[in-house]
Amino acid sequence: MSVIYVLLTISIVVAVVFFTAFIFSVKNGQYDDTYTPSVRMLFEDELVKAAPEPESKKLNQPKENNQ
Amino acid sequence: MGTDTCYHCGDNCVQDNIVYDQKNFCCQGCRTVYEIFSSNDLTYYYDLQAAAGASPKITECKYDFLSSEAITDKLVEFQDDDMQIISLYIPHIHCSSCIWILENLNKLHKSIFSSQVDFPKKRIRISYNWQTISLKELVLLLTRIGYEPNISLEDYDQKINKKEYTLIYQLGVAGFAFGNIMFLSFPEYFEVGEFWIEQYKPLFRWLMFFFSLPVVFYAARDYFISAYKGIRSNLLNLDVPIALGISVLFIRSSLEIIFDWGSGFFDSLAGLVFFLLLGKFFQQQTYSFLSFERDYKSYFPVAITRILNDGTEDTVPLHHIKKGDRLLIRNEELIPVDGLLLLGNAKIDYSFVSGESAPVYKEPGDKIYAGGKQLSGAFEMEALKSVPQSYLTRLWGNAIFQKDRTTSFRTLTDRIGKRFTIGVLTIAFTAALFWLFIDSGRLINVFTAVLIIACPCAIALAAPFTLGNMLRIFGHKKFYLKDSQTIERLARVNMAIFDKTGTITTTKKETVSYQGMDLTLAEESLLKNTLRASNHPLSRALYDLLAEHDIVTLDEYQEHIGHGIQGAKEDGQIKIGSATFVGNKSGLANQNTAVHISANDEYKGCFVFHNEYREGISNVFNSMQSNMELAILSGDNAGEKSNLEALVPLGTPLHFNQKPEDKLDFIATQQQKHKRVLMVGDGLNDAGALAQSDVGIAISENINVFSPACDAILDATKLPQLPSYILASKQAMKVIKLSFVLSLLYNVIGLFFAVTGQLEPVIAAILMPLSSISIVAFTTVATHIIGKKLS
């Protein structure tokens, strides 16, 4: 039955990983603006006659922490 | 005169109708923006949302101060060899087109690396190469495309407000521990006494113990601090029994597992803290795009042009202005300090300061005061004081602005908390005494069980969830409150005071009535055409009100700044303006704003402007007078008195010519008579009164532009709803009281188990979440019903 130790350890480690991920995302300001990204993702890559600008660049740019 | 709407901004093309690229534009500005966008392949802007733009209003030299390095250093967030990052507030941000165009700034100028919009805050962060585009050029570029940033003294004095994440972290910790402890304590709920459980019991129990440490010492920290502060100032607030409950839970549970008496109440402990914090978090409704803390700094310019002795100009930060400096005030600029007018004519709009709607004319040698806005041309002035000592800014030196109202107000929950604490302690001691004689072994068990089960979790949740919900409902109805406490204060108001100008009158519309001799058709046409050429606000207002006439070209047109205009056509000549300018001999003293007319040097009459009252305002007064006293305080003169009397219920006191301090004092006097005062105002001149009152509501026609410091901001179109909002806040307080009754019921059930000494961990673990969740459900449903009634 000592497998219970292994299982407990695994479950707690997984929980801690999620917990730190949560703390990290809050610290990073990912919850500061929850509206704009939802609009941003709906923009079409409109026709560009000039030099092509990778429009999708903005979507996966890491957010800097500006607080 | 077509009534086409502008392709760029959606306004009616009244004055000019420029057709460009088969599209109508209302002014050159809008056309230029369209041109910029279309030449850069950014016309998608118009596909996203039609007519989302704003006409650019460019005043040259307005941003000259951005050339000064000392000032830009204070404004930028980050700077290295070639990159600068700045965060700007742009009031016009309002739709997806705005986001799109502002995030594609790099297509307009190659020196801009990237820009990111924060829509709820209406801010944009731009990183750009400052070697090739200066901050001033960047701001002018934004202004040119109709997105003028608002740079005020407040940004310059940047108080870096660290974001408060503490509560979210605490909530995370409590939630994390709550989930894990629940799952660890599950095997022991059923006490089956199997070999397997007996063997691993200590491991599970100690794991729970370690999980609960951060909950008690980090997540629940604020409750202990608040309880300690409460006891120290002899206040038994609701945090005292909460802190008591948490510590008893923790100590008893720890002892239980140390001495192997039982499994402890760690699951209830973590659950309790988690729900309490959830309530706290729920109450924090913030409108990040609104500011409730504004003072004069939010709209004073950052810098001003100073004229040196050798005649050259330089730009100085506002704080550096000394007595005796010569300053240049341009068109549409604010006067930053009290001073003397030296050169040029001033026409000053003091509505921000005094509420007086008509502009005031000043001549060289006159004293002028800070806070006025210059409306025509530029003038030079000499500063007689520094900024903090000026008449307007001194208002903020009043002690009322230093007082934190939240600490002095005792909420319903706090008042209940005192009785509750006394009640719980009484029951606990009585039960302990009783068991002392029956079975002394159970004494500690019962005593602690009472404190545990009576921990007022549900009571503590009632107010946050009800008020948090109400805040959101009000927000949807365009009534934005600073915090949940405001609802409670609003429910207790028994006197309402209204400012006149801009609050119960509209700032946009005015009605006009003509007094004097009738004009002939030729004269009317001449009048209309002369007015067409003028940009004076009164001319514009009058022009829009007069009947249509054919457009003719005038032979002669002259504008005398500060006096009036005159025009001539063939044989007719007309003068429009002040009484002295047109030669009004009758000496007709009228306190209202008036435009006088004379044709061919013969006085004809005058157009008198009246304030236009907001629709439904008299209904507001009538429905409010039944349960509170009313009063009107106006900074304006008494010219409107008769009109106003017709609107308000009989016997309502009307006070005119009130200075900002007078308003503040009036309210303070009423409060000494134990009145709880609601003040409704709109301008800086009401700021003192709004701060002094129990609830200060600022009325705003455009909530993004400006509102003085207040407790709540109400969209002007919703003013007729104000009585129903007050009623709704009263109903919300009733809901809280009902929730108290409901949670007391739960407590009685729990106490029965506790007093008889049969409180098992599993009962506590069921009862606690059950009571909390049912309270939350009840308040949510009840507030939803209140919200439905509001519409």
Side-chain angles (χ1 to χ4, degrees):
Chain A
M1 270 315 282
S2 57
V3 73
I4 198 88
Y5 292 116
V6 180
L7 292 175
L8 268 181
T9 315
I10 290 172
S11 77
I12 287 171
V13 165
V14 170
V16 167
V17 166
F18 276 101
F19 178 66
T20 39
F22 169 73
I23 297 288
F24 179 77
S25 63
V26 171
K27 222 190 198 72
N28 243 322
Q30 290 187 25
Y31 290 92
D32 291 355
D33 178 7
T34 50
Y35 179 79
T36 321
S38 68
V39 175
R40 196 178 289 140
M41 70 174 292
L42 298 172
F43 292 149
E44 301 285 341
D45 295 353
E46 77 294 354
L47 294 170
V48 181
K49 291 182 221 109
E53 266 275 339
E55 197 48 47
S56 54
K57 194 180 72 179
K58 285 206 189 53
L59 296 178
N60 42 29
Q61 245 182 12
K63 277 209 175 194
E64 292 144 277
N65 184 11
N66 55 0
Q67 302 311 329
Chain B
M1 286 284 157
T3 46
D4 294 315
T5 54
C6 175
Y7 184 71
H8 175 72
C9 71
D11 285 354
N12 288 336
C13 307
V14 179
Q15 276 182 270
D16 322 303
N17 189 359
I18 301 159
V19 179
Y20 173 79
D21 202 5
Q22 292 119 44
K23 296 172 179 70
N24 295 308
F25 294 97
C26 67
C27 61
Q28 285 295 350
C30 286
R31 200 206 75 151
T32 316
V33 182
Y34 174 78
E35 221 173 331
I36 293 172
F37 289 172
S38 57
S39 61
N40 285 291
D41 297 321
L42 294 170
T43 46
Y44 182 62
Y45 178 79
Y46 299 103
D47 305 340
L48 270 173
Q49 184 116 19
S55 327
K57 293 182 178 52
I58 300 185
T59 18
E60 281 307 322
C61 325
K62 184 174 173 183
Y63 292 109
D64 281 357
F65 65 87
L66 291 174
S67 316
S68 138
E69 210 165 295
I71 292 173
T72 51
D73 278 354
K74 284 237 180 179
L75 294 172
V76 294
E77 274 180 15
F78 168 84
Q79 177 166 354
D80 67 7
D81 290 345
D82 56 1
M83 187 166 77
Q84 264 181 358
I85 297 180
I86 186 151
S87 164
L88 294 166
Y89 171 66
I90 301 183
H92 184 65
I93 293 178
H94 71 291
C95 67
S96 46
S97 280
C98 304
I99 300 174
W100 185 81
I101 195 78
L102 289 171
E103 299 207 334
N104 281 297
L105 282 178
N106 51 4
K107 294 192 188 159
L108 285 179
H109 201 296
K110 57 186 186 304
S111 304
I112 296 172
F113 301 132
S114 71
S115 47
Q116 200 170 42
V117 174
D118 184 336
F119 189 84
K121 290 198 184 66
K122 295 185 193 287
R123 293 192 82 89
I124 178 171
R125 272 182 95 236
I126 308 173
S127 53
Y128 56 99
N129 184 336
W130 63 277
Q131 306 286 16
T132 48
I133 182 173
S134 70
L135 179 58
K136 181 183 157 186
E137 286 162 350
L138 179 72
V139 169
L140 285 174
L141 171 74
L142 285 167
T143 310
R144 263 205 305 279
I145 59 168
Y147 287 96
E148 183 171 14
N150 186 338
I151 304 173
S152 66
L153 199 55
E154 219 172 11
D155 303 316
Y156 185 75
D157 292 345
Q158 263 183 350
K159 304 175 283 292
I160 303 288
N161 33 8
K162 285 292 288 175
K163 271 205 79 83
E164 266 303 314
Y165 290 136
T166 319
L167 183 60
I168 302 179
Y169 293 149
Q170 288 177 334
L171 195 59
V173 168
F176 165 77
F178 174 47
N180 281 293
I181 293 175
M182 265 292 180
F183 129 89
L184 288 168
S185 59
F186 208 74
E188 275 212 70
Y189 278 158
F190 308 108
E191 281 292 351
V192 271
E194 268 183 62
F195 158 79
W196 187 85
I197 285 193
E198 290 301 320
Q199 198 183 351
Y200 291 104
K201 214 161 39 178
L203 169 73
F204 279 68
R205 286 178 179 181
W206 284 106
L207 271 176
M208 288 197 275
F209 172 79
F210 282 113
F211 271 124
S212 70
L213 286 177
V215 174
V216 175
F217 293 103
Y218 176 68
R221 206 173 47 180
D222 294 346
Y223 290 100
F224 291 113
I225 294 168
S226 158
Y228 170 71
K229 277 184 182 157
I231 291 170
R232 218 179 41 182
S233 53
N234 292 326
L235 273 178
L236 283 175
N237 52 17
L238 200 66
D239 290 339
V240 175
I242 292 177
L244 201 65
I246 293 173
S247 32
V248 168
L249 266 169
F250 182 69
I251 292 165
R252 175 171 166 179
S253 308
S254 308
L255 288 174
E256 276 193 8
I257 61 166
I258 290 167
F259 298 109
D260 199 19
W261 295 334
S263 59
F265 297 86
F266 290 118
D267 47 355
S268 305
L269 168 69
L272 169 82
V273 175
F274 176 69
F275 282 120
L276 285 173
L277 289 171
L278 203 61
K280 232 184 197 179
F281 178 73
F282 197 76
Q283 202 172 355
Q284 279 193 330
Q285 167 75 3
T286 50
Y287 302 104
S288 44
F289 62 97
L290 293 176
S291 166
F292 293 96
E293 307 298 336
R294 286 187 179 145
D295 57 11
Y296 67 94
K297 284 183 181 157
S298 332
Y299 71 115
F300 263 38
V302 177
I304 200 87
T305 313
R306 185 171 59 181
I307 302 167
L308 301 174
N309 292 336
D310 55 8
T312 51
E313 297 177 5
D314 73 338
T315 312
V316 283
L318 222 49
H319 295 303
H320 294 194
I321 297 176
K322 294 188 298 292
K323 195 180 150 180
D325 281 354
R326 282 179 62 130
L327 308 171
L328 179 69
I329 308 292
R330 295 195 180 84
N331 197 3
E332 298 288 315
E333 271 188 1
L334 272 173
I335 301 164
V337 289
D338 298 355
L340 272 181
L341 186 58
L342 298 174
L343 259 183
N345 279 329
K347 187 172 114 190
I348 303 169
D349 169 11
Y350 275 125
S351 56
F352 260 148
V353 187
S354 61
E356 178 75 54
S357 46
V360 188
Y361 296 97
K362 295 284 180 193
E363 287 172 352
D366 289 344
K367 260 196 98 162
I368 46 179
Y369 294 100
K373 195 175 185 182
Q374 163 68 342
L375 294 179
S376 65
F379 65 80
E380 281 181 31
M381 63 175 284
E382 182 186 341
L384 293 177
K385 287 181 177 150
S386 63
V387 174
Q389 290 166 336
S390 287
Y391 166 76
L392 173 71
T393 41
R394 270 213 318 267
L395 182 65
W396 274 267
N398 191 306
I400 193 69
F401 287 99
Q402 321 314 332
K403 205 175 88 181
D404 184 12
R405 239 183 306 190
T406 46
T407 51
S408 58
F409 180 75
R410 297 203 55 217
T411 58
L412 183 66
T413 317
D414 285 338
R415 294 198 297 276
I416 296 272
K418 184 180 170 180
R419 290 176 211 156
F420 189 88
T421 314
I422 293 169
V424 167
L425 287 173
T426 316
I427 293 173
F429 280 111
T430 321
L433 265 175
F434 172 79
W435 283 103
L436 184 65
F437 299 109
I438 310 283
D439 177 5
S440 56
R442 279 183 145 187
L443 184 141
I444 294 293
N445 180 341
V446 169
F447 182 71
T448 49
V450 169
L451 291 182
I452 288 171
I453 204 70
C455 185
C457 181
I459 289 191
L461 286 180
F465 275 94
T466 311
L467 298 178
N469 262 327
M470 279 318 288
L471 278 185
R472 265 172 279 273
I473 290 169
F474 280 145
H476 287 305
K477 311 258 182 237
K478 297 188 176 173
F479 182 35
Y480 307 96
L481 295 155
K482 185 166 128 185
D483 52 29
S484 59
Q485 218 191 65
T486 309
I487 299 182
E488 218 168 309
R489 284 204 300 263
L490 189 62
R492 301 177 64 218
V493 158
N494 59 9
M495 176 168 194
I497 297 175
F498 289 83
D499 163 61
K500 181 178 78 74
T501 316
T503 303
I504 56 179
T505 65
T506 58
T507 50
K508 292 195 179 76
K509 278 189 294 188
E510 286 193 306
T511 47
V512 75
S513 62
Y514 180 70
Q515 303 171 351
M517 289 178 277
D518 285 341
L519 298 173
T520 64
L521 204 63
E523 284 167 349
E524 266 187 44
S525 153
L526 185 56
L527 170 66
K528 179 96 178 170
N529 280 296
T530 309
L531 288 170
R532 236 184 95 235
S534 163
N535 259 330
H536 187 288
L538 286 181
S539 313
R540 295 253 59 90
L542 195 54
Y543 176 84
D544 292 338
L545 292 162
L546 290 175
E548 291 287 338
H549 281 277
D550 294 337
I551 297 175
V552 292
T553 323
L554 298 174
D555 297 343
E556 186 197 336
Y557 171 78
Q558 276 183 307
E559 190 152 354
H560 305 269
I561 301 262
H563 300 290
I565 49 178
Q566 63 185 81
K569 171 82 191 161
E570 290 157 11
D571 49 352
Q573 182 257 15
I574 197 161
K575 278 181 154 186
I576 309 161
S578 65
T580 46
F581 173 73
V582 303
N584 174 13
K585 306 288 187 294
S586 63
L588 181 76
N590 193 315
Q591 289 189 301
N592 278 341
T593 316
V595 174
H596 298 263
I597 313 283
S598 74
N600 302 329
D601 291 328
E602 180 197 357
Y603 182 71
K604 287 286 185 184
C606 63
F607 286 95
V608 182
F609 285 83
H610 298 279
N611 291 127
E612 169 98 24
Y613 288 93
R614 293 192 192 281
E615 272 170 54
I617 192 71
S618 63
N619 293 340
V620 170
F621 291 140
N622 290 331
S623 52
M624 279 171 94
Q625 69 159 347
S626 55
N627 49 17
M628 59 183 81
E629 281 182 54
L630 296 173
I632 308 273
L633 296 180
S634 172
D636 234 334
N637 60 41
E640 281 287 313
K641 194 169 176 175
S642 53
N643 282 343
L644 201 52
E645 276 170 345
L647 281 176
V648 296
L650 214 63
T652 305
L654 309 174
H655 301 269
F656 293 97
N657 300 319
Q658 298 281 309
K659 290 195 179 69
E661 294 88 347
D662 299 342
K663 292 185 179 184
L664 197 156
D665 293 339
F666 180 85
I667 291 177
T669 321
Q670 295 299 328
Q671 284 171 328
Q672 275 153 11
K673 296 179 195 162
H674 301 292
K675 290 267 187 295
R676 291 185 294 271
V677 182
L678 161 72
M679 171 78 203
V680 186
D682 74 318
L684 258 199
N685 57 318
D686 303 317
L690 291 170
Q692 175 68 46
S693 62
D694 294 80
V695 181
I697 299 181
I699 297 282
S700 176
E701 300 203 351
N702 179 352
I703 50 173
N704 308 320
V705 177
F706 171 78
S707 52
C710 57
D711 300 309
I713 297 171
L714 176 63
D715 189 284
T717 52
K718 296 285 180 180
L719 185 61
Q721 307 292 328
L722 185 61
S724 59
Y725 290 159
I726 295 174
L727 189 70
S729 56
K730 286 188 168 141
Q731 287 166 331
M733 296 316 291
K734 281 205 187 93
V735 169
I736 294 178
K737 284 174 186 160
L738 274 176
S739 314
F740 285 166
V741 173
L742 197 65
S743 61
L744 276 175
L745 277 180
Y746 280 112
N747 269 329
V748 169
I749 298 168
L751 279 172
F752 165 76
F753 286 107
V755 172
T756 51
Q758 45 185 339
L759 181 73
E760 299 295 328
V762 69
I763 293 176
I766 292 169
L767 210 57
M768 280 221 187
L770 188 70
S771 64
S772 305
I773 288 165
S774 58
I775 290 289
V776 170
F778 170 70
T779 55
T780 309
V781 171
T783 45
H784 186 75
I785 293 169
I786 295 175
K788 271 270 178 285
K789 271 195 273 182
L790 265 182
S791 53

